Amino acid sequence: MRIDVKWRQEGDIAIASILGRIDSLSSDRFQALVEEGLNSGPRALLMDFGRVSYISSAGLRVCLVLAKRLRSTGQALAMCSLSDVNREIVAVSGFDKLIMVHEDPASAIAAMAS
């Protein structure tokens, strides 16, 4: 399945709305698309997974790489709108301890803006 990212800006928070399935076949493209959108240097990145059908360990690895990169420059990363399946994958892997997870974009933006 194809992976795509649509961008919008909310203040100094870049919001990446992701569409598709993130697995070993699409993780490199996912990483490239997100890194390309970070070139504008936002203070924070919110990844909206509302339209992601599945995220594998390869996709989580990309999220970890992004989290480390952003943290090293003082920027924040959060995820939102995870499906029940994807939320369980994130929780079981412990990624919810490394990356902020929110129910929806509004609550994520409110938390990141404060």
Side-chain angles (χ1 to χ4, degrees), residues 30-52:
F30 168 57
Q31 184 170 354
L33 288 169
V34 173
E35 286 179 345
E36 184 179 298
L38 290 176
N39 289 338
S40 63
R43 180 185 63 81
L45 169 63
L46 172 59
M47 293 191 295
D48 184 342
F49 283 87
R51 297 179 66 192
V52 173

Side-chain angles (χ1 to χ4, degrees), residues 61-72:
R61 178 194 54 80
V62 171
C63 293
L64 181 61
V65 167
L66 292 169
K68 286 181 178 181
R69 174 182 163 196
L70 290 167
R71 212 172 273 142
S72 73

Side-chain angles (χ1 to χ4, degrees), residues 43-102:
R43 180 185 63 81
L45 169 63
L46 172 59
M47 293 191 295
D48 184 342
F49 283 87
R51 297 179 66 192
V52 173
S53 59
Y54 175 75
I55 184 165
S56 72
S57 59
L60 291 176
R61 178 194 54 80
V62 171
C63 293
L64 181 61
V65 167
L66 292 169
K68 286 181 178 181
R69 174 182 163 196
L70 290 167
R71 212 172 273 142
S72 73
T73 59
Q75 297 166 298
L77 173 68
M79 306 167 102
C80 71
S81 306
L82 292 159
S83 69
D84 291 341
V85 170
N86 289 336
R87 181 180 303 279
E88 185 174 336
I89 290 167
V90 169
V92 166
S93 66
F95 274 70
D96 58 342
K97 307 289 187 251
L98 303 171
I99 299 171
M100 294 181 292
V101 177
H102 299 276

